[in-house]
Amino acid sequence: MSFDFQVTARDGAARRGVMRTAHGAIDTPAFMPVGTQGAVKGVTQRDLELLGAEILLSNTYHLYLRPGDDLIARQGGLHRFAGWTRPILTDSGGYQVFSLAARRTIDEQGAHFRSHHDGSAHLRTPEKAADIQAQLGSDVAMVLDECLALPAEPGDVRASMERTLRWAARARDRFLALRAGEAPGVIVTNPGQAQFGIVQGGVYPDLREESAAETVKVGFEGYAIGGLSVGEAADVMYDIVARTAPCLPDDRPRYLMGVGTPSDIVEAVARGIDLFDCVLPTRNARNGQLFTSQGRLNIGNARYAEDNGPPDPACTCYTCRTFSRAYLRHLFLAREINSATLNTLHNLHFYLDTLSRIRESVSFGRFESFRVAFHQGLSSQPHDS
Amino acid sequence: MSFDFQVTARDGAARRGVMRTAHGAIDTPAFMPVGTQGAVKGVTQRDLELLGAEILLSNTYHLYLRPGDDLIARQGGLHRFAGWTRPILTDSGGYQVFSLAARRTIDEQGAHFRSHHDGSAHLRTPEKAADIQAQLGSDVAMVLDECLALPAEPGDVRASMERTLRWAARARDRFLALRAGEAPGVIVTNPGQAQFGIVQGGVYPDLREESAAETVKVGFEGYAIGGLSVGEAADVMYDIVARTAPCLPDDRPRYLMGVGTPSDIVEAVARGIDLFDCVLPTRNARNGQLFTSQGRLNIGNARYAEDNGPPDPACTCYTCRTFSRAYLRHLFLAREINSATLNTLHNLHFYLDTLSRIRESVSFGRFESFRVAFHQGLSSQPHDS
């Protein structure tokens, strides 16, 4: 068994740790840049290595449709296919089925949907989601969970949470069969793959606690909190995280899916979370929004037209060391590809550097003072948005 | 005077040399990647430095319209603005006025045109083209020449060539005034700037010879051959180059504008050319076409779907060392930004490496055998196009 997690330092509920996978170790708390289609938009694998990214997230839904997990498996798995030698976590594809796919219907078996590319019909079951991820060969696979349309009544949230539990048990059975070599026709490209369960239950603490307890009973290498950062207020999310994290085993990594802003990440670490992913740094970069130690900066604003300072004077990234706001604004307005690249390099550096500072502050028992100073910094300049 | 050119080796008509500019020396023959708007599309300045690019070309027409040469001058010039410390050559903007701008009319004064962005009216004179380039602060500025619409009658070609000569004299006068600090209102951001004249004359050797002789009489730090690679057959272009190059001073660099394919470059070097620029490696990269030692490869072709070899087995670039044709095809079909980046990295490496091999072969008196082997290699595999 290649997977292992050790907590190495604590400060309040915040933890520092090391997560070992078949493709190397990750210092936690960690942020995973999102490489939707086997590539992080705008930056190369070399750029990501230079940024110190230790783990990427890739999207099963997209890779299943194009180029196909069968093709990737024949090419030796996603690591080899994408030229990325460090760890990869794949989602189950469920979220995209629920948000991107056309004409989806859900039943106990799974999710029926049509491709957003060509309208072809597909069925995603918990077993199939495990099979695809086995073929991709990610280091961490996620179970298929039901992503409920919001707003939802408590009764519907409970029913969905219970279905997610039944699906989790099926996903784990299939994962164990794959690991045991008992899944003919599936090419298992990474025998050291781990599988994480997902806690659901909306904004209802009792449902979250029940979901956590039952998911832990199924038994996974790690646990995620899903269904948050979907429109609820930040303090509601923080409360749910605070209630849910302690229900998860202390010796397993905790992953808050799809979160979030730099503030969200600091607050979730304060409540015991170890892993994060989010498209904000990469997507907002392409839209000209830079995350800085003093808040967000929209590089297209006229006030930066002749600003020869770096995006973030406190930042040591390639973009901030080399280019001015004036030049980056020009690239953005001219729709140059480099605008996406340079903005993404900066935003990912800011996220990864923030996580690095978080880890250090936990090690030295100074997380609370880091947290206060970080939030103060973010509001020290008028935000562009 | 910062500018200098020395021929350091010869092999037939082919020459190797060193061109010294205010921002450093360039080994010639050299290829200049095109950074139209102050950025080479898809690759960062860091990437270009790693590729060994010694000089970039940037387009005056585009930078004049956006963000404006006044703004760039206030930011300290194009080198500082774009974070590029090595040499830069700027064109005069004439070619884009003739090809991109709306409602252009030409008279003896210059070219009247409207911006392709907003329809605003502008006048480009030989003097104004020199002023803009002085503000940009390129290391080599080009004179404004008339780019004739083709096909054209010999009489029209002569008239246009003669106008280009009159403009060349005006451009040189203005350049010398700028250098002498006698151009109030213009910010000269690079006092070491050189200026090249441009030989015109279409496909008529006698006009070319006359244009060369008269342009040399005006006197420039270097000389370009313009108005080729605009639709004429390759052998016609090679003949014109062969007739024109010997009419230019042996001790000044010779620049064949807008050329060309790898074969074109080798053939032009064989006829005494030192400098090249072309959008082919960058533009074709974005369209999925890779230049390789065995010919061109269209990465989107179905035959590469499961091809786990590199684009060019003979290539040592980052793309070829790291990624398979199958992965690059996936990125291209998925329209990932990284497709443009990785293809551009490869194509620029191929061009720059070809120039490096040319220089080495000239140094060792083996240019002819290089030339034969290079052409044989290009046709050794069926081309994709």
Side-chain angles (χ1 to χ4, degrees):
Chain A
M1 175 57 197
S2 304
F3 188 86
D4 177 57
F5 179 72
Q6 300 282 339
V7 174
T8 58
R10 296 175 192 276
D11 190 358
R15 315 121 56 92
R16 179 171 182 165
V18 177
M19 186 172 94
R20 290 189 177 77
T21 79
H23 288 85
I26 299 141
D27 285 320
T28 64
F31 177 79
M32 302 183 279
V34 178
T36 300
Q37 306 192 96
V40 177
K41 293 185 199 307
V43 294
T44 64
Q45 280 74 330
R46 179 170 66 180
D47 292 329
L48 291 164
E49 288 159 9
L50 289 172
L51 285 168
E54 293 192 318
I55 177 169
L56 297 186
L57 180 143
S58 209
N59 291 115
T60 291
Y61 172 82
H62 290 281
L63 293 172
Y64 160 78
L65 290 177
R66 183 177 61 194
D69 52 300
D70 289 338
L71 185 152
I72 291 175
R74 286 192 298 269
Q75 293 283 320
L78 184 57
H79 290 85
R80 181 176 291 189
F81 182 64
W84 177 255
T85 59
R86 298 179 184 180
I88 297 174
L89 179 146
T90 45
D91 63 8
S92 70
Y95 185 79
Q96 280 75 28
V97 167
F98 289 88
S99 60
L100 268 185
R103 287 198 279 164
R104 59 168 177 73
T105 58
I106 318 298
D107 58 25
E108 189 61 19
Q109 188 186 12
H112 306 258
F113 66 97
R114 288 180 181 273
S115 161
H116 71 289
H117 293 310
D118 61 7
S120 56
H122 301 268
L123 169 62
R124 181 62 26 87
T125 63
E127 293 82 3
K128 178 70 178 173
D131 289 354
I132 297 169
Q133 293 176 87
Q135 296 214 125
L136 296 177
S138 54
D139 297 287
V140 176
M142 301 301 301
V143 299
L144 183 69
D145 58 338
E146 183 174 345
C147 303
L148 199 60
L150 296 176
E153 295 298 314
D156 293 334
V157 177
R158 166 170 286 282
S160 175
M161 179 271 280
E162 290 176 350
R163 172 172 281 163
T164 289
L165 284 172
R166 293 190 297 275
W167 284 5
R170 286 168 53 190
R172 189 64 182 177
D173 286 346
R174 183 64 180 179
F175 174 82
L176 295 175
L178 286 160
R179 180 185 282 177
E182 295 163 358
V186 179
I187 306 173
V188 177
T189 59
N190 179 3
Q193 188 178 61
Q195 187 186 44
F196 283 17
I198 303 177
V199 174
Q200 287 287 356
V203 295
Y204 306 104
D206 54 330
L207 293 185
R208 288 281 174 181
E209 288 172 12
E210 185 178 337
S211 173
E214 296 300 317
T215 306
V216 170
K217 278 188 198 160
V218 177
F220 294 94
E221 283 77 29
Y223 298 90
I225 301 176
L228 289 179
S229 198
V230 290
E232 77 282 2
D235 59 348
V236 172
M237 175 174 79
Y238 300 158
D239 282 349
I240 293 294
V241 171
R243 291 286 292 267
T244 308
C247 306
L248 296 170
D250 186 69
D251 63 348
R252 298 291 164 96
R254 301 166 184 161
Y255 163 29
L256 182 56
M257 302 180 79
V259 173
T261 67
S263 291
D264 288 343
I265 290 175
V266 170
E267 289 309 300
V269 167
R271 291 161 176 82
I273 300 298
D274 309 301
L275 277 175
F276 301 89
D277 80 284
C278 192
V279 296
L280 273 182
T282 41
R283 178 179 295 163
N284 291 19
R286 299 194 301 280
N287 294 329
Q289 187 171 72
L290 299 171
F291 290 91
T292 82
S293 58
Q294 302 183 331
R296 301 188 197 187
L297 185 159
N298 291 329
I299 199 65
N301 277 2
R303 68 160 121 159
Y304 302 125
E306 306 219 17
D307 186 335
N308 59 16
D312 186 347
C315 181
T316 61
C317 82
Y318 170 66
T319 301
C320 287
R321 280 185 285 112
T322 316
F323 304 104
S324 66
R325 293 172 177 180
Y327 180 68
L328 295 171
R329 177 176 187 266
H330 163 65
L331 293 182
F332 179 69
L333 295 183
R335 297 167 195 246
E336 282 285 322
I337 298 176
N338 276 6
S339 173
T341 297
L342 296 176
N343 293 351
T344 302
L345 286 175
H346 168 78
N347 278 355
L348 285 179
H349 177 92
F350 181 75
Y351 266 69
L352 294 168
D353 184 59
T354 296
L355 272 292
S356 173
R357 288 156 178 259
I358 287 173
R359 291 192 297 270
E360 193 166 325
S361 72
V362 171
S363 285
F364 290 96
R366 291 183 183 157
F367 177 69
E368 271 308 308
S369 55
F370 165 84
R371 181 184 177 183
V372 169
F374 186 80
H375 289 308
Q376 281 176 342
L378 289 185
S379 53
S380 66
Q381 290 274 327
H383 289 207
D384 279 344
S385 68
Chain B
M1 173 62 196
S2 304
F3 189 86
D4 177 57
F5 180 71
Q6 299 283 340
V7 175
T8 58
R10 297 177 191 273
D11 190 358
R15 319 124 50 97
R16 179 173 181 163
V18 178
M19 186 172 94
R20 290 190 176 77
T21 80
H23 287 86
I26 299 140
D27 285 321
T28 63
F31 177 79
M32 302 183 278
V34 178
T36 300
Q37 306 192 94
V40 177
K41 294 184 197 309
V43 293
T44 64
Q45 281 73 329
R46 178 170 67 180
D47 293 331
L48 291 164
E49 288 159 9
L50 289 171
L51 285 168
E54 293 191 317
I55 176 169
L56 297 186
L57 179 144
S58 209
N59 292 114
T60 291
Y61 171 83
H62 291 281
L63 294 172
Y64 160 78
L65 290 177
R66 185 176 60 193
D69 52 301
D70 289 338
L71 185 151
I72 291 174
R74 286 192 297 269
Q75 292 285 317
L78 185 56
H79 289 86
R80 181 175 290 189
F81 182 64
W84 176 255
T85 58
R86 299 179 184 179
I88 297 174
L89 179 147
T90 45
D91 64 8
S92 69
Y95 186 79
Q96 279 74 30
V97 167
F98 289 88
S99 62
L100 269 183
R103 289 199 277 165
R104 60 168 177 74
T105 57
I106 317 298
D107 58 26
E108 189 61 20
Q109 188 186 13
H112 306 258
F113 65 98
R114 289 181 180 273
S115 161
H116 72 287
H117 293 310
D118 60 8
S120 55
H122 302 269
L123 169 62
R124 180 63 25 86
T125 63
E127 293 81 5
K128 179 70 178 173
D131 289 353
I132 298 169
Q133 292 176 86
Q135 296 214 123
L136 296 176
S138 54
D139 297 287
V140 177
M142 303 301 301
V143 299
L144 183 69
D145 57 339
E146 184 174 346
C147 303
L148 198 60
L150 295 176
E153 295 299 314
D156 293 336
V157 176
R158 165 170 287 281
S160 176
M161 180 271 279
E162 290 177 350
R163 172 171 283 162
T164 290
L165 283 172
R166 294 190 296 274
W167 285 5
R170 287 167 54 189
R172 189 64 183 178
D173 286 347
R174 183 64 178 178
F175 175 80
L176 295 175
L178 287 159
R179 182 185 281 176
E182 296 162 359
V186 179
I187 306 173
V188 177
T189 58
N190 179 3
Q193 187 179 60
Q195 187 187 44
F196 283 16
I198 304 178
V199 175
Q200 287 287 358
V203 295
Y204 305 104
D206 54 329
L207 293 184
R208 288 283 174 181
E209 287 171 12
E210 185 177 336
S211 173
E214 295 301 317
T215 305
V216 170
K217 278 188 199 159
V218 177
F220 294 94
E221 283 76 32
Y223 297 90
I225 301 176
L228 289 178
S229 200
V230 290
E232 77 284 1
D235 58 350
V236 171
M237 174 173 81
Y238 299 159
D239 282 348
I240 293 294
V241 171
R243 291 285 292 267
T244 308
C247 305
L248 297 170
D250 186 69
D251 62 350
R252 298 291 163 97
R254 303 166 183 160
Y255 162 31
L256 182 56
M257 302 181 79
V259 172
T261 67
S263 289
D264 288 342
I265 289 174
V266 170
E267 289 309 300
V269 167
R271 291 160 176 82
I273 300 298
D274 309 301
L275 277 175
F276 301 89
D277 79 283
C278 193
V279 296
L280 273 182
T282 42
R283 178 180 294 163
N284 291 19
R286 301 195 299 282
N287 294 328
Q289 187 171 72
L290 299 171
F291 289 92
T292 83
S293 58
Q294 303 183 328
R296 301 188 198 187
L297 184 158
N298 292 327
I299 199 65
N301 276 2
R303 67 162 121 161
Y304 302 125
E306 306 218 17
D307 186 336
N308 58 17
D312 185 348
C315 180
T316 60
C317 82
Y318 171 66
T319 301
C320 287
R321 281 186 285 111
T322 315
F323 303 103
S324 65
R325 293 173 176 180
Y327 180 67
L328 295 171
R329 177 176 187 266
H330 163 64
L331 293 183
F332 179 69
L333 296 183
R335 296 165 195 246
E336 282 285 324
I337 297 176
N338 276 5
S339 173
T341 297
L342 296 177
N343 292 351
T344 302
L345 286 176
H346 168 77
N347 278 355
L348 285 179
H349 177 92
F350 182 74
Y351 265 69
L352 295 168
D353 184 60
T354 297
L355 272 293
S356 172
R357 288 157 178 259
I358 287 172
R359 291 192 298 270
E360 193 165 327
S361 73
V362 171
S363 285
F364 290 96
R366 292 183 182 157
F367 178 69
E368 271 309 306
S369 55
F370 166 83
R371 180 183 178 185
V372 170
F374 186 80
H375 289 309
Q376 280 176 345
L378 289 185
S379 54
S380 66
Q381 290 272 329
H383 289 206
D384 279 347
S385 68

